[in-house]
Amino acid sequence: MDRAQMQEKLDQLIWRVEQARIKRSEHHIVKIVAVSKYTDEAHIRMLYDLGQRAFGENKVQSLQERIETVDDLPIEWHFIGRLQKNKINHLIRANPFLMQSLDSLELAEAMQKRLEAHETNMECLLQINSAKEDTKAGVMPEEAEEIYLKIKESCPNIELRGVMTIGAHVEDQAVIRKSFETTYTIFEKLKPHGADICSMGMSNDFELAIECGSNMVRIGSLIFK
Ligand SMILES: *Cc1c(COP(=O)(O)O)cnc(C)c1O
């Protein structure tokens, strides 16, 4: 893919996000996180050059490598994948802008210990398993509010900013919509507790997610494939 092709893809994506957000409200602002797990350094640089600032990776090791190879660029890195407890220190060292995939109280408590030891904080989103799929990480929707508040209370080095979900993995749009609506309802209840980020929507469902209130979309294949 050359620069012109990438420009075209980015322009199209921005246009589609723009349409979807205006459908919700003129005042609704949506941030695009470019998920770079399918691409290489050259294309990350190219996209950065076209104006993209937020990038995401779903593996701690890839995140570390990326951050090292493009450390001359002021990129905002997001961690969006499953975090194993034995990788917590690596993630802390990578120091992402936002950790979007905090998926249990247990993980939060383990991270709290390590963050405390490193004398540092991390901004995180609580991941919701909004369609209750066995294959997906995240807390159950009915427990989400309680767990969120518990983490806020017992993990002072974790700065919770909101919620993240992956839409239901099905064809039926109504079911996908339901998973986004479930997450947005939780987000609304958490707003009085400081939540301001609702991260939902990927290449195949971001317009629907924005319609349901998402203000952060994570887009990979649509840009890089
Ligand atoms: C890979 C990934 C994405 C991007 O998915 P695409 O369908 O390629 O846009 C978004 N969120 C998470 C958690 C991912 O792992």
Side-chain angles (χ1 to χ4, degrees), residues 31 76 78 96-102 121-128 147-149 151-152 155-164 183 186-199 213 215-216:
K31 178 163 183 165
E76 177 188 305
H78 295 239
F97 177 84
L98 183 65
M99 190 295 193
Q100 299 203 13
S101 42
L102 185 56
N121 292 359
M122 195 178 292
E123 298 203 358
C124 297
L125 302 181
L126 183 64
Q127 184 173 350
I128 318 282
I147 293 176
Y148 192 97
L149 297 177
I151 295 171
K152 262 187 81 95
C155 305
N157 297 58
I158 291 177
E159 298 174 30
L160 281 175
R161 293 288 306 274
V163 295
M164 183 274 250
T183 305
I186 296 164
F187 173 61
E188 280 211 297
K189 287 191 196 141
L190 295 170
K191 274 186 189 170
H193 302 284
D196 63 350
I197 300 173
C198 180
S199 172
N215 60 15
M216 184 175 280

Side-chain angles (χ1 to χ4, degrees), residues 65-121:
E65 286 168 10
R66 295 292 198 208
I67 289 177
E68 277 170 32
T69 49
V70 295
D71 76 339
D72 52 316
L73 306 180
I75 285 178
E76 177 188 305
W77 284 103
H78 295 239
F79 180 69
I80 59 172
R82 212 174 274 214
L83 179 64
Q84 289 164 319
K85 288 214 189 72
N86 61 357
K87 299 280 169 64
I88 291 176
N89 282 337
H90 293 272
L91 186 71
I92 291 175
R93 260 177 253 125
N95 189 26
F97 177 84
L98 183 65
M99 190 295 193
Q100 299 203 13
S101 42
L102 185 56
D103 59 12
S104 70
L105 178 60
E106 210 190 346
L107 178 63
E109 285 169 347
M111 281 181 64
Q112 170 59 31
K113 283 203 190 98
R114 305 312 310 152
L115 286 165
E116 220 172 286
H118 284 81
E119 298 182 335
T120 186
N121 292 359

